[in-house]
Amino acid sequence: MTDNALNQASLQIEAARADATRRPTIAAFFDEATNTVSYVVSDPATNKAAIIDSVLDYEAASGRTDDRSAKLIIEYVKTNNLEVEWLLETHAHADHLSAAPYLQERLGGKLAIGKDIRIVQDVFGKLFNAGTDFQRDGSQFDHLFDDGDKFAIGTLDAIALHVPGHTPADMAFVIGDAAFVGDTIFMPDFGTARADFPGGDARRLYRSIRRLLTLPRETRLFLCHDYKAPGRDEYAWETTVGLQRDYNVHVRDGVSEDEFVVMRTARDRTLTMPDLIMPSVQVNIRGGRLPEPEDNGVSYIKIPINAV
């Protein structure tokens, strides 16, 4: 069966590689506390921009938030006279809180995520007993992407690809000749994302990654996380399809789906939950907004006991 979305993405990448004016300017912002990389992606021709996977700082011990990481992005946007059109989330993150509403209030833009966020909202809405006031229809976001949806950042062509497995709702965003792949894949020496969260699936993750790796070998891949693989001293978050196909320790060419599923399942059993999973998921399924304040004016994060 023809994969029209992937074919369109490949054609877009080839066109951008042939014409430098169709390639984005990319600025990365690394948050070492959560090992997360956020991006500002802009069109040099129009100064229109998108912000991808922003971080709101959060101290678990005190329950306090901070906007220092978001302010670095604001400073970059204003210094470069950019106009934000999109605030893109690759998925509802389990390791950091999104700063998208904070940034949207100050910079504008549409907040967007994949349409299957509704599945994630339903699963975690039940886990956190969020009640009937919590909408599970994705209405906390301005736009819900489907697989193959085209959009633009200024004059730059962009396309959304559904890449489930880490969660049901993961999206990759191909902008010009670059793909922002979220938590599907890491640097070749580190491998791939876990697939053991509620709604995750190692087999779907393998298929999503192999789908991405059919893009042109020269496609630039920008990752959402890096943890410095053993023997590597520097953080890194940019690679290519070709490097992943040749060297990724989990899904390089020649690794079968069954081999990957056995490896990924065994590896996931050894992993502890992310430190910030409870606050992150509760906030991020709400589009980066804190739970509604209670009658004393304070928002609270729930911790389900013996439930995960």
Side-chain angles (χ1 to χ4, degrees):
M1 183 173 63
T2 302
D3 190 334
N4 289 327
L6 200 66
N7 290 342
Q8 290 296 315
S10 296
L11 290 172
Q12 174 188 299
I13 290 164
E14 295 290 8
R17 284 183 49 75
D19 181 355
T21 65
R22 302 173 75 169
R23 300 176 205 156
T25 298
I26 300 167
F29 299 81
F30 184 68
D31 176 53
E32 190 167 356
T34 62
N35 296 93
T36 302
V37 194
S38 306
Y39 298 97
V40 177
V41 185
S42 58
D43 173 21
T46 64
N47 278 6
K48 301 295 178 63
I51 299 170
I52 303 177
D53 291 336
S54 61
V55 172
L56 181 70
D57 304 286
Y58 178 80
E59 184 182 61
S62 66
R64 298 195 68 84
T65 61
D66 194 279
D67 53 20
R68 60 185 180 276
S69 292
K71 283 182 174 176
L72 294 175
I73 290 176
I74 292 172
E75 180 182 8
Y76 175 85
V77 167
K78 291 187 174 180
T79 298
N80 290 279
N81 297 312
L82 302 179
E83 180 182 345
V84 174
E85 293 190 315
W86 292 97
L87 299 131
L88 303 174
E89 299 288 339
T90 55
H91 63 295
H93 306 273
D95 41 36
H96 71 271
L97 282 65
S98 170
Y102 177 88
L103 292 168
Q104 186 178 45
E105 183 179 337
R106 289 154 181 81
L107 300 173
K110 294 181 181 178
L111 174 56
I113 199 167
K115 69 181 182 68
D116 283 347
I117 186 62
R118 294 173 293 194
I119 298 173
V120 178
Q121 289 176 327
D122 188 54
V123 169
F124 283 99
K126 292 174 183 174
L127 176 64
F128 293 116
N129 197 28
T132 56
D133 289 341
F134 171 59
Q135 299 299 311
R136 295 160 168 83
D137 58 1
S139 58
Q140 299 85 349
F141 300 85
D142 300 313
H143 185 82
L144 301 179
F145 283 110
D146 202 348
D147 184 56
D149 281 353
K150 294 182 179 181
F151 62 108
I153 301 168
T155 62
L156 295 176
D157 294 325
I159 190 165
L161 297 176
H162 186 213
V163 286
H166 175 62
T167 79
D170 282 62
M171 302 297 291
F173 298 107
V174 182
I175 303 170
D177 66 333
F180 299 84
V181 298
D183 284 18
T184 53
I185 198 166
F186 300 140
M187 290 299 289
D189 57 359
F190 200 87
T192 58
R194 65 194 299 165
D196 60 331
F197 295 149
D201 186 292
R203 200 166 293 279
R204 293 188 82 190
L205 179 61
Y206 178 88
R207 294 173 184 175
S208 293
I209 292 171
R210 293 307 306 180
R211 185 184 187 216
L212 287 171
L213 296 187
T214 62
L215 293 169
R217 287 182 61 91
E218 300 81 11
T219 304
R220 296 184 291 164
L221 302 181
F222 290 87
L223 317 179
C224 189
H225 296 288
D226 187 56
Y227 303 95
K228 288 197 296 191
R232 175 156 55 86
D233 295 329
E234 301 294 329
Y235 290 109
W237 45 79
E238 180 180 352
T239 180
T240 66
V241 164
L243 288 172
Q244 295 285 10
R245 291 185 60 171
D246 292 343
Y247 301 112
N248 188 282
V249 294
H250 293 168
V251 287
R252 65 188 177 276
D253 287 356
V255 176
S256 72
E257 181 175 316
D258 287 343
E259 289 172 329
F260 175 81
V261 170
V262 169
M263 178 282 302
R264 187 69 265 170
T265 302
R267 183 177 175 85
D268 287 349
R269 289 195 190 105
T270 71
L271 302 177
T272 59
M273 288 289 104
D275 290 342
L276 297 184
I277 186 170
M278 295 303 174
S280 294
V281 173
Q282 287 177 76
V283 168
N284 294 336
I285 60 175
R286 291 175 166 86
R289 299 171 185 87
L290 297 175
E292 285 296 317
E294 298 192 8
D295 56 10
N296 63 353
V298 177
S299 293
Y300 289 87
I301 297 295
K302 291 183 177 181
I303 307 295
I305 304 302
N306 298 325
V308 295

